[in-house]
Amino acid sequence: MDAALPMGGTEPLDAGSILAFLTATDYPVAPYEMDAALLASSAYVYEYRRSNDNSTDAPWDWPKTERDIEILNAQADKVMDAIMGG
């Protein structure tokens, strides 16, 4: 969703780098998909910078309460137990 800068930091992807990837992988996309990828990249970098370079919830996600976090952690633990055969 972003491109690393040589001196650190991040910037949104540009159309050229996305097109180069699509050409190399021979993966066809519609023009609206390219627009969506560029918009998503810009939104990601904006939120990353806004949050002082810390990972944050997606802008469309709901603000999480302590109870929400407890529920999500319990669900993750349950899935991990299932994966590990427990």
Side-chain angles (χ1 to χ4, degrees):
M1 294 300 291
D2 64 324
L5 296 172
M7 300 298 286
T10 186
E11 69 180 356
L13 295 174
D14 60 54
S17 61
I18 295 173
L19 285 173
F21 172 79
L22 295 173
T23 300
T25 59
D26 197 29
Y27 190 85
V29 297
Y32 76 89
E33 292 173 305
M34 175 67 85
D35 289 341
L38 293 170
L39 183 61
S41 180
S42 293
Y44 175 82
V45 170
Y46 171 80
E47 288 297 321
Y48 181 76
R49 290 178 181 162
R50 186 186 65 77
S51 65
N52 296 320
D53 298 341
N54 290 312
S55 183
T56 185
D57 290 334
W60 56 84
D61 206 357
W62 79 96
K64 306 226 178 15
T65 64
E66 286 297 319
R67 181 65 183 136
D68 292 330
I69 292 170
E70 289 173 13
I71 292 168
L72 292 170
N73 286 338
Q75 290 172 340
D77 289 343
K78 187 175 180 180
V79 168
M80 185 57 80
D81 287 343
I83 290 171
M84 300 305 281

